[in-house]
Every structure is written in C-alpha cells, then in structure tokens.
Amino acid sequence: MDDYPLTLTHVVERAERFHGGREVISRRPDGSIARTTLGACARRARRLASALAGLGVGDGDRVATLLWNQAEHLELYFAVPAMGAVVHTLNPRLHPDGLAFIAADAQDRVIVVDESLLEVFAGFGDTHPFEHVIVVTHGGAVPDGMADYEDLIGRGAPVAWPVLDERRAAALCYTSGTTGRPKGVIYSHRALVLHSMAAALPDQLGVSARDTLLPVVPMFHANAWGLPYAAALIGARLVLPGPRLDPGSVLDLLAGERVTVTAGVPTVWMGMLAALDAEPRRWDLGRLDRLIVGGAAVPRSLLEGYDRHGLTVIQAWGMTETAPLGSVGRLPEDLDAGESDERYAFRARQGIAVPFMDIRARDDDGELVAWDDTAMGELEVRGPWVAAAYHNGQAPDSFTPDGWFRTGDIVRIDHRGCLRICDRAKDLVKSGGEWISSVDLENHLMAHPAVAEAAVVAVPDERWGERPLAVLTLKDGARTDPEELREHLATDFARWQLPERFEFVDVIPRTATGKFKKSVLRERYSATHLEDHDSNGHGPDGGSDLL
C-alpha cells in the first residue's frame, strides 16, 4: 500500500479544496462578529507561512500564540505545522511567572499576540528573548518594535507546502502544572491527524459537514480538544467565541449562529444552565444537538438540568497528554429503553475508550484490576495520540517500562470497559485505611437544590489520618446547613464517608483551565481543621464515632 504521510498538510489542503466555502465566524473582544471561510483561512495560511519564513522561522522552530478562539488562531494552526515549524499555544490565564517559564522551556522564537492580550504579554515578554512579536489588531495601533499581523500576510507570497514526515513535531501544549511545573507535550502530525479522524467518528464526537461547531474550550488548551482540526478535515461550520465566555454571551452565539455541537468544561455549562432556568424562552436552541463536556466529572444534576431543556450532554474524558480525547460516554443501544436511573448512571461515567486507545488500571500493589466496577486503580493508557515522554524529558516516572502513560486518575472499569473516574490520585481521601472518592461526594452535593458548586478535599486528622472537608458555593438566594447536607449525602454514603465539616464560600478557587484548585483548599483548611479537633479526635460538631 502507498506509504501516504499522515500530516496536517492534507487537512489544510482538504479544507482549501473541498470545504473552502464553509464559514468561520469569530466574535471579537468588543463583541462584533467577523466572518470568513475555511478556504480563506487556508489561503491566508500560505501567505502567513511565507512571512514567518521571511522572519527566519524554519524547521522545528516554535511559534507561540497568545490568542483567543479566533480566525487568526486557526490560520496559525494551519500555517505553522504545514511549513514544518511547531505551533505552541500559550494560556493567557496563567501567572506571568508560569508563562515566562513555559516560553523559555519551549524555546519560543516568535510570538503572535492579540492586541487585547498585550498587557498579559507585557507581564512576561521581557523575560524571554522573543526574536519577533506579531500583533493581531482590531483597529488599534501596533506598539513600536512589533510587527502587524495583517501587514505580514499582505507581504507574504503564497507558498507550496513542503513534504513532511508524519512523525515530526506539529504542536506543543503544556499541562496546567497543578502538581508542579507545567510539562510540555509535543504532538506529531500523525497523532493529530489520527485524533481528528477518531473525534469525527459517529459514536465519538460525531463531527459532520452538516454541523455548526462552537468550541468553548480554548484553542490554547489541548488544541481545543482537536475540534478545529476535525472541523477543517470534515468541513464543519466553525464558530469561535473569542474571550467572552459568560453564559449570556455563549447562549447568544449558540442561538444566533444555530450551533449544533458545542464543547467545554462543566463550569461553563453550570452557569449556562442557571441562565436557561432563569429565562427558558429567551434563547432558541432548537438546533443544538449535543454538548460535549469534559475536564471534570459531570454531576447527574447537570445531565438532568439540560434534559429538562431538551438538550443532551455527552461526557468525554481526556488529558493534555492524550491530545486530549481518551473516552466518550455515548449511551449504548441496549440502554436506550433502560430505566432512567440506569441511563443516568451510565451517562455520569466518563465513557468507553475511543478506537485505538488502550486502557488498563493498576492497584497500589502493582496488580492490574478487574473490570468489575468494584476494584479501583490508577488508569494507564497508550495509543497513537498518547504522549510517550514529556518535552525535555520531564517526569520520566509518568511512563511505565512497557510504554503506557500513568494518568494519575483513579478509576473503576465496568464489564463494558466504561470508565468511572473516582478521583485524581492526589485527591483521594484515605480515612482510617479506607478510600473515599472526593468526586462522588462533590457530584452528590451538587445534586442538592441549594448547592451551586462543591469541592471536597482531604485534611489531616489525628485519629483517622485524613477526613473529607467540603467547600461549597450556594445558588443565589438559597440556604442550607451542614446537618441538611449530611442527610442529603447519607442516602448514598456510609456515615464514615461523610464530611464532618462544610465551608461556605463566595468563590471556589480555580486553575487557569477552570478546574477546582484543590491544592489551595488543602493548604487553606488543613491547619484550621487540626486546630478544631482535640486529642480524642472529636470533630467540630462533637462526633467521634465515624464508623
């Protein structure tokens, strides 16, 4: 058979030749809408590649982006890998010190910045010797010493794409760094092409040329879950929301552009559900077929909430290290006529591994766990778009001697091979020698009508080693108390599993990617928890018998 290279070049060329008229819609920082097409983005990418080469960008060089979900970002997604360089997406929500570290670790030579993010760039730009800074403007002036993005494209002559090896680097993304310094993951052309094909499969994310796709997940986070490349490959209409991701703005775009598929983390959809509940007739979402949700476990209350509005949530799991799609929770055919509780129980899981993704789980003794939905172990994965190592050889112990990636997620696997993420390894609570899942407690707490969000962390305990502590935000105008919350949890949990302390806050701290920042919560409450216990291990409510 023909040894045909699986490179993103073919994705870009297909978008240009076969899907050239498909719209790409971008919402600018000021809220205005800009419209272009996949064909125009691909043609401009040829000029952009020529201009970047004129600045000295060559094979393997890193071109950083500090951009929102916008058409210019898509053009860089096309141009940089297709010319043989590496597109490196930077997260503007990170601390300047983190951005400076990442830019240095990646050895970025050039950076493209949206003018609305120039202040973010100023926080770290002087610490790394970028050879060129290119600014995407929306009517503003380009600062001295920087280049104008449109001027560069205007001066570039269209290039013919070079023939590339499918195993060469195409893109670079860094982990969120919640357990240490961020680690770089380099994606090959082959990995991203195969990932795009798998994502588009009907029983996976099901991206079709008939779809209008709105990725709320940022293009600076794991390639927006691969959705821009999948859209270009298949010819889906693409809606890019820019920086405005408040519920009303997202709903306006979903309704106004008649979106059929959207994707993002649970926090986005929690806020959107509250807006829909408050004004159910304001937005016409009749075309919206499915919401892909990942990044954190989805509570049943969120599934039920969207079902009330006739909208379907499909849960997926993945990581930066898996490019990121790892599993999808599509309801199997035999459950179509199942009982409601059985269907929700399946939908609340993280799904079945996508094709070409191998999974297994290993317990504390190093033994592989049975797929009986009872035994727990750390999930290990391998596949054609799973990292085999981190950039610069960081954290080598994240990979097994036989080539599997240790995810750090503690899972149960049922007879179908369907994953249930019980916790991150570092977030499990070990109380009296028994494991308690913080994720299970969080999901059940968020099913309480008064609770908006809940995060559960382990805090030290003199008697039991660790105990779960719940940190909550309440819905506007709602009231509850620890006793009521314990009664709510007691329907599904044993007494010894229940948090003995609840903290009510206005905002739960989050990482730059929207996940709960549990390290901050553990640090904040660990010392005070010990102070609230006497030497007999009595909790603040006077209870001591936890079993």
Side-chain angles (χ1 to χ4, degrees):
M1 303 303 290
D2 185 7
D3 188 17
Y4 187 86
L6 300 178
T7 63
L8 291 173
T9 309
H10 302 298
V11 175
V12 178
E13 289 179 335
R14 184 170 180 83
E16 187 175 11
R17 292 174 181 167
F18 295 100
H19 312 310
R22 298 295 281 168
E23 264 194 310
V24 176
I25 298 100
S26 298
R27 184 170 56 195
R28 299 305 191 188
D30 65 359
S32 62
I33 299 294
R35 298 181 186 274
T36 183
T37 63
L38 284 173
C41 287
R43 289 189 295 273
R44 282 166 56 88
R46 292 183 184 273
R47 293 183 176 274
L48 176 59
S50 175
L52 291 172
L55 296 178
V57 175
D59 286 355
D61 286 340
R62 276 58 160 155
V63 176
T65 64
L66 197 64
L67 299 168
W68 306 111
N69 287 18
Q70 58 193 92
E72 293 85 1
H73 215 164
L74 184 66
E75 291 164 1
L76 284 149
Y77 265 43
F78 287 174
V80 177
M83 70 183 290
V86 180
V87 61
H88 173 208
T89 55
L90 289 170
N91 184 343
R93 297 170 184 157
L94 293 177
H95 188 275
D97 290 346
L99 287 167
F101 168 80
I102 290 170
D105 190 66
Q107 296 181 303
D108 294 330
R109 291 189 59 191
V110 175
I111 186 168
V112 182
V113 185
D114 189 87
E115 72 170 348
S116 64
L117 292 169
L118 282 171
E119 186 174 343
V120 174
F121 175 72
F124 73 97
D126 290 341
T127 66
H128 179 73
F130 290 103
E131 296 173 23
H132 300 281
V133 180
I134 302 166
V135 182
V136 175
T137 62
H138 311 290
V142 176
D144 291 341
M146 301 181 184
D148 182 88
Y149 182 86
E150 289 299 326
D151 286 349
L152 279 177
I153 289 181
R155 296 199 303 266
V159 299
W161 299 121
V163 176
L164 303 173
D165 187 311
E166 65 179 21
R167 286 176 169 79
R168 74 182 298 158
L172 173 60
C173 185
Y174 276 71
T175 64
S176 56
T178 54
T179 57
R181 281 292 198 182
K183 297 179 285 292
V185 179
I186 296 180
Y187 306 116
S188 69
H189 282 260
R190 179 176 183 268
L192 295 181
V193 169
L194 290 172
H195 184 277
S196 300
M197 294 169 67
L201 290 172
D203 284 330
Q204 306 310 314
L205 303 188
V207 181
S208 159
R210 297 178 181 272
D211 279 319
T212 294
L213 174 62
L214 191 158
V216 180
V217 59
M219 293 174 73
F220 52 74
H221 180 56
N223 305 313
W225 299 352
L227 293 171
Y229 284 131
L233 178 69
I234 298 300
R237 187 167 172 261
L238 194 58
V239 182
L240 302 173
R244 298 174 61 173
L245 301 181
D246 60 280
S249 295
V250 173
L251 285 162
D252 286 345
L253 267 186
L254 291 171
E257 298 297 336
R258 298 175 61 80
V259 170
T260 61
V261 186
T262 185
V265 298
T267 51
V268 171
W269 309 125
M270 288 176 184
M272 204 168 85
L273 178 59
L276 285 172
D277 286 342
E279 299 181 272
R281 299 182 183 277
R282 178 176 169 184
W283 295 279
D284 178 5
L285 301 179
R287 290 275 294 166
L288 186 56
D289 179 67
R290 57 202 180 279
L291 296 85
I292 310 299
V293 184
V298 176
R300 174 169 171 169
S301 58
L302 190 70
L303 301 172
E304 292 175 326
Y306 277 99
D307 284 350
R308 290 196 306 269
H309 295 279
L311 300 171
T312 301
V313 168
I314 296 173
Q315 191 166 183
W317 169 87
M319 307 177 73
T320 303
E321 294 89 343
T322 63
L325 191 60
S327 66
V328 178
R330 291 276 192 171
L331 198 69
E333 183 181 13
D334 61 285
L335 288 182
D336 283 347
E339 295 294 326
S340 175
D341 283 347
E342 188 179 20
R343 289 160 59 89
Y344 277 121
F346 185 93
R347 292 176 61 198
R349 304 174 73 99
Q350 284 66 50
I352 294 171
V354 298
F356 305 114
M357 181 73 72
D358 294 334
I359 64 170
R360 67 188 188 190
R362 197 178 296 278
D363 64 19
D364 286 345
D365 297 324
E367 299 297 324
L368 295 179
V369 305
W371 290 19
D372 58 6
D373 207 26
T374 300
M376 286 197 305
E378 181 183 7
L379 179 64
E380 299 175 353
V381 298
R382 67 177 180 183
W385 52 84
V386 179
Y390 287 115
H391 179 51
N392 288 335
Q394 297 179 70
D397 58 349
S398 297
F399 304 88
T400 68
D402 59 345
W404 293 63
F405 171 62
R406 296 184 172 113
T407 66
D409 281 328
I410 305 301
V411 301
R412 293 186 175 99
I413 308 175
D414 73 4
H415 68 283
R416 303 175 189 267
C418 187
L419 296 171
R420 179 184 171 199
I421 306 289
C422 300
D423 229 323
R424 292 292 290 168
K426 64 182 184 297
D427 292 332
L428 276 172
V429 183
K430 195 167 189 177
S431 183
E434 299 289 343
W435 292 111
I436 303 172
S437 168
S438 69
V439 171
D440 289 348
L441 287 170
E442 288 163 0
N443 287 345
H444 206 70
L445 282 169
M446 286 188 280
H448 189 282
V451 176
E453 294 181 337
V456 174
V457 296
V459 291
D461 185 272
E462 291 182 358
R463 181 175 182 184
W464 304 106
E466 291 181 338
R467 293 295 299 144
L469 178 146
V471 183
L472 309 102
T473 63
L474 299 181
K475 296 177 181 176
D476 289 344
R479 295 177 62 84
T480 187
D481 57 45
E483 183 177 353
E484 180 180 309
L485 292 172
R486 286 195 194 94
E487 290 177 1
H488 171 74
L489 290 173
T491 59
D492 278 58
F493 295 90
R495 186 182 175 195
W496 65 270
Q497 295 175 307
L498 303 182
E500 59 190 85
R501 179 170 167 184
F502 296 80
E503 295 286 343
F504 298 93
V505 298
D506 293 331
V507 177
I508 298 175
R510 297 185 180 281
T511 69
T513 54
K515 300 176 184 178
F516 293 140
K517 207 164 190 176
K518 292 192 174 183
S519 59
V520 172
L521 297 177
R522 282 192 292 268
E523 183 177 353
R524 179 181 300 171
Y525 295 112
S526 289
T528 58
H529 186 79
L530 282 174
E531 290 170 2
D532 287 338
H533 286 67
D534 63 27
S535 60
N536 292 319
H538 288 68
D541 297 324
S544 62
D545 182 7
L546 300 175
L547 295 177

